[in-house]
Amino acid sequence: MIEFIDAHVHIRTGDKARLSSDPYVIANPEGMSDHPDAMAEMYRELKGMAVVFDIDDETRTGLKASNEELAGWVRKHPDVFIGFGTVDPWKGRAAIREVELCHDLGLRGVKFHPAVQDFAPNDPRFFPLWETCARLGLAVLFHTGTTMAAAGQPGGGGIRLEYGRPIPYIDDIAARFPDLRIIMAHPAWPWHEEQLAVLRHKPNVAMDLSGWAPKYIPQSVIHYANTLVQDKVFFGSDFPMLTPQRWLREFAELPIKDAVRPKILRDNVVRFLGLSDLVRG
């Protein structure tokens, strides 16, 4: 029986797989391996599954990810890995073809990081991407809130944090594309109140709690996750930045209702992504 689904896990593919580490992901202090085989075994031992993805920001950094490689890892470890593709939104028609490839590869969604990929999600130039994802039934996962990517570098490495705001960016897309399933990654600090407003208002939007050790998650997010948006919040670790072991340990100490815990840990994301075929039994 699958006890949880970690909705936010990084895998390095393509050019990034050949680096010693992903420049945009901080290695966990426990030193756990981020090699996909080791990750699969970790989740297997924990009786969990993981939504895995990379970030293709080739236009900005010159580093291209590979959806074919990611799909290969999912095929190798189908009992623990659920695949999301990644698309560089600046590639025009090629980006649309890449979304179609993600669908053909059997991936369940597409990951975007507006700040790292340097784009405003509600720019009309990117509407064909959202139209295609909605048409093909692919969910989209958007980074929201601040980011540690390039933190401390001169000018923050040129990264603009504004692109992580839920309002107007996510709210605008959710309004224009009501059939598009959208997941906001992370408590969107310092705009987490905006995030909660979008969750309450837009039926097609959910969020994950990744990137924050549970004891540091803003109290308003915990309150709403325990009450008004309890059906729209997912467990996510952000591994390898944060281990699922630590996240689960600290989550167990939060004042979450017994009826809500399984929703956050598994049931909500199963329903939102249509994963009952994977977790049955």
Side-chain angles (χ1 to χ4, degrees):
M1 178 69 175
I2 297 299
E3 297 182 357
F4 69 86
I5 295 178
D6 186 339
H8 197 109
V9 176
H10 293 262
I11 279 185
R12 291 186 286 130
T13 67
D15 296 333
K16 294 180 182 180
R18 291 183 283 276
L19 301 175
S20 59
S21 63
D22 188 330
Y24 291 122
V25 178
I26 300 171
N28 64 85
E30 291 90 342
M32 293 183 180
S33 173
D34 67 346
H35 187 281
D37 286 333
M39 291 166 57
E41 186 57 31
M42 175 179 69
Y43 282 98
R44 200 170 282 123
E45 290 178 358
L46 292 172
K47 298 182 180 178
M49 298 185 75
V51 175
V52 295
F53 53 79
D54 200 352
I55 300 172
D56 189 353
D57 49 7
E58 184 180 15
T59 297
R60 185 172 180 277
T61 67
L63 299 173
K64 179 174 174 53
S66 171
N67 289 312
E68 291 92 339
E69 284 184 31
L70 186 132
W73 289 116
V74 175
R75 287 193 300 271
K76 185 175 183 181
H77 300 289
D79 59 318
V80 287
F81 284 164
I82 301 158
F84 268 39
T86 181
V87 174
D88 184 332
W90 290 105
K91 293 182 179 180
R93 179 57 194 166
I96 299 298
R97 290 195 295 269
E98 196 68 25
V99 169
E100 293 169 342
L101 175 63
C102 290
H103 174 265
D104 293 343
L105 289 170
L107 303 177
R108 303 276 182 150
V110 185
K111 160 71 174 181
F112 294 93
H113 196 313
V116 165
Q117 294 174 314
D118 195 30
F119 78 106
N122 65 346
D123 186 321
R125 288 178 291 180
F126 307 115
F127 286 180
L129 282 173
W130 319 141
E131 292 168 352
T132 304
C133 287
R135 173 174 58 83
L136 296 176
L138 294 171
V140 289
L141 173 64
F142 286 105
H143 177 100
T144 58
T146 190
T147 178
M148 290 303 294
Q153 296 182 14
I159 289 175
R160 288 177 277 191
L161 296 180
E162 180 192 10
Y163 289 157
R165 290 196 73 160
I167 298 176
Y169 301 113
I170 303 304
D171 185 60
D172 195 0
I173 294 172
R176 292 176 183 274
F177 303 96
D179 294 329
L180 180 66
R181 291 171 296 158
I182 301 171
I183 304 169
M184 294 183 284
H186 320 301
W189 183 87
W191 307 294
H192 50 287
E193 303 292 345
E194 294 182 4
Q195 181 178 46
L196 295 171
V198 175
L199 285 177
R200 282 286 289 157
H201 194 258
K202 299 296 190 294
N204 54 324
V205 182
M207 72 171 290
D208 72 45
L209 297 172
S210 66
W212 289 65
K215 65 182 178 181
Y216 297 123
I217 294 174
Q219 285 303 304
S220 59
V221 174
I222 296 297
H223 172 73
Y224 272 75
N226 204 23
T227 55
L228 294 176
V229 298
Q230 62 180 266
D231 296 318
K232 306 185 78 178
V233 179
F234 313 152
F235 159 43
S237 67
D238 211 5
F239 187 83
M241 188 184 82
L242 187 69
T243 67
Q245 291 91 335
R246 178 183 175 184
W247 199 98
L248 291 167
R249 185 170 62 249
E250 292 189 13
F251 180 69
E253 299 174 355
L254 294 180
I256 302 295
K257 300 172 185 174
D258 289 343
V260 174
R261 287 186 183 276
K263 292 183 177 184
I264 294 175
L265 290 175
R266 186 190 65 180
D267 297 346
N268 289 342
V269 72
V270 167
R271 184 184 64 255
F272 195 79
L273 294 181
L275 302 176
S276 58
D277 58 317
L278 298 182
V279 302
R280 190 179 296 115

